[in-house]
Amino acid sequence: MRNRFEFLLNRLRERLWVKPLIACILSVCGVALAHFADEIPIDWKVPEIAQGSVIDLLKIIAASMLGVATFAVASMVSAYASTGQSATARAFPLIVADDVSQNALSVFVGAFIYAIVALSATTNDYFGKAGRFTLFALTLLAMVAVILVFVRWVDSIARLGRLGAVIQKVEQATAQAIARRRRTPWLGGVAASGLPAGLAVHSERIGYLQRVDLARLQRIATDCKLRITLAVLPGAMIAPSRPLAWILPDSGDSGPLSPADIEKAFTIGPLRQFDDDPRFGLVVLAEIGGRALSPAINDPGTAIAVLSALHRLLAAWAEPAEADAPECERVAAPALLPYDMVDDGFTAIARDGAHLVEVAMRVQRVLGELGASDDAAMRAAARRHAELALARAERVLDFAPDLAQVRALHAGYWSQATDKTTSDA
């Protein structure tokens, strides 16, 4: 249930109207709170606030906040457009979900609505002495909040949509997905073993698997006395011909089951999501690096920054971790393979940057460092892709000294790995 709540909460964060709507509701409630203060017999305890001073403050806020909110929306739209043009459209949900920008827009819109509602109520003598004092205090708090949020937002909007900020956000989202998968390597179930067997469950929908509700599958498997093996992981492309899962009854007396009940546990949508799909973050980073290496942009520095982010992420994945105890022992899931992750991150950059010696050398360096990992699967994946990257560089690097540097760097890492493997044997 918690994972489902987090998934839905993340989808709401990608909607720009949610926080401004909440701010508008709170602003109306603030005006109602000021009127409620008139019902409390404290007139003799609060100072007299002239109605004209409150009206003047509210007019200032009402006149300025609409323009500021419009400016904020224009700046955010410009940053979103810059993200799609300079980085990749797949990073757009992360930029939209930026808390600083959404909070700023919410405060600006909420302050405008608050000023309009409070101004209408004040000019119609809706408040008494206590109510005017409460409204005056709330107005001052609103102005302080607007100033603080605006100062913080100006610093943030200057970076929002820039390549460095986009890479950082994608890396953070991928690191969170990797951390979750390391805690639950089989999504909260057990490891799938052997060849799949049983009844295959298919879906008529076409799209990407965004989430699997393992708790729901566990309840179904317990009630119907069967075991479920996932055939796909979040991020997989779903088609009617591809099974979602395999169902194997415990015995002949297992309870009745409708495959549609199983299908409801799989959330399928038109786009991949970062939440439970670590490979998607690696793909997005590779897209950013690949675009930077295009002839029209020719920015190897960005590709090197992406390679550094990939190094940190895959090194974190290769570190030993203690997994949580499985909560769904009747549901099995396949493991996320290091080779697939390395392939997602390095293939495009190694291909598009093979003609640039600085990129080719950084690819060899990162893969060589990953090859020193204690994870045998990660070592094998890094070595295979280092060999492929070297072969690509040998085909396109025309300057002999550059190619010699790449070969020497490759040999420096992998000849030591060969010697270590031989000595261990």
Side-chain angles (χ1 to χ4, degrees):
M1 179 60 70
R2 181 180 179 183
N3 290 336
R4 176 181 174 82
F5 176 76
E6 291 179 354
F7 182 82
L8 295 176
L9 182 61
N10 288 336
R11 302 293 75 77
L12 287 177
R13 289 181 59 197
E14 297 170 4
R15 301 293 185 268
L16 282 178
W17 57 267
V18 175
K19 287 187 176 180
L21 177 61
I22 296 174
C24 292
I25 295 174
L26 292 177
S27 64
V28 175
C29 292
V31 178
L33 177 65
H35 178 67
F36 177 75
D38 286 326
E39 305 298 329
I40 304 175
I42 57 172
D43 288 354
W44 60 275
K45 294 182 180 179
V46 297
E48 180 71 36
I49 302 296
Q51 182 169 304
S53 63
V54 177
I55 292 177
D56 290 340
L57 284 175
L58 293 174
K59 285 182 177 180
I60 293 173
I61 295 177
S64 59
M65 282 302 100
L66 182 60
V68 173
T70 303
F71 169 72
V73 171
S75 301
M76 291 166 66
V77 170
S78 176
Y80 300 155
S82 174
T83 299
Q85 293 173 1
S86 62
T88 173
R90 260 59 63 189
F92 178 75
L94 297 178
I95 304 302
V96 171
D98 179 67
D99 288 331
V100 176
S101 297
Q102 287 198 7
N103 292 341
L105 180 61
S106 302
V107 170
F108 299 154
V109 174
F112 173 74
I113 297 300
Y114 165 79
I116 293 297
V117 175
L119 188 61
S120 301
T122 305
T123 53
N124 287 279
D125 297 326
Y126 189 64
F127 302 108
K129 181 181 178 181
R132 285 195 302 272
F133 174 78
T134 304
L135 190 67
F136 180 75
L138 291 175
T139 303
L140 292 179
L141 289 176
M143 294 182 66
V144 171
V146 167
I147 293 172
L148 294 178
V149 169
F150 181 79
V151 171
R152 185 186 179 201
W153 173 75
V154 167
D155 180 73
S156 175
I157 199 64
R159 297 175 175 83
L160 187 66
R162 300 297 185 267
L163 269 176
V166 175
I167 293 173
Q168 183 180 11
K169 285 185 176 296
V170 175
E171 182 181 356
Q172 289 175 351
T174 308
Q176 292 172 1
I178 286 177
R180 283 192 293 268
R181 186 60 64 89
R182 293 179 70 211
R183 292 194 303 268
T184 56
W186 301 286
L187 303 177
V190 297
S193 60
L195 297 175
L199 174 66
V201 177
H202 295 263
S203 173
E204 295 300 321
R205 292 174 290 174
I206 298 177
Y208 292 99
L209 180 62
Q210 298 176 342
R211 179 180 173 273
V212 183
D213 190 348
L214 253 70
R216 182 188 182 97
L217 294 178
Q218 174 69 15
R219 291 194 300 269
I220 294 174
T222 302
D223 296 340
C224 299
K225 298 180 181 179
L226 50 85
R227 296 189 178 274
I228 301 173
T229 301
L230 300 184
V232 289
L233 290 173
M237 179 66 186
I238 304 300
S241 62
R242 187 174 189 180
L244 297 175
W246 301 87
I247 304 172
L248 186 63
D250 289 347
S251 61
D253 61 348
S254 297
L257 173 67
S258 171
D261 295 335
I262 299 290
E263 184 182 350
K264 292 178 181 177
F266 294 82
T267 302
I268 300 174
L271 302 174
R272 295 174 72 172
Q273 302 292 346
F274 290 91
D275 306 63
D276 299 318
D277 184 8
R279 292 181 59 185
F280 183 48
L282 301 177
V283 170
V284 173
L285 286 171
E287 287 185 358
I288 296 173
R291 174 169 291 192
L293 293 171
S294 65
I297 298 178
N298 191 24
D299 182 14
T302 294
I304 291 174
V306 168
L307 288 170
S308 298
L310 291 172
H311 188 186
R312 290 188 290 268
L313 292 170
L314 292 174
W317 174 265
E319 291 179 357
E322 184 176 350
D324 296 341
E327 300 177 355
C328 306
E329 69 280 356
R330 285 185 168 270
V331 183
L336 193 58
L337 301 179
Y339 186 87
D340 293 333
M341 301 180 71
V342 176
D343 184 59
D344 291 333
F346 286 90
T347 299
I349 298 178
R351 178 196 64 216
D352 298 336
H355 65 290
L356 299 172
V357 63
E358 62 268 37
V359 176
M361 292 186 66
R362 180 56 66 95
V363 169
Q364 292 296 332
R365 190 177 302 279
V366 172
L367 290 172
E369 294 295 336
L370 291 175
S373 166
D374 294 332
D375 188 334
M378 181 63 73
R379 291 199 305 270
R383 179 162 196 160
R384 174 58 178 161
H385 278 273
E387 293 171 351
L388 291 175
L390 177 61
R392 289 188 174 96
E394 289 174 339
R395 291 179 64 89
V396 297
L397 277 177
D398 298 328
F399 191 55
D402 287 348
L403 182 57
Q405 289 185 67
V406 177
R407 285 173 171 167
L409 189 59
H410 175 85
Y413 278 108
W414 298 107
S415 61
Q416 297 175 6
T418 303
D419 295 341
K420 179 181 178 181
T421 303
T422 304
S423 62
D424 291 342

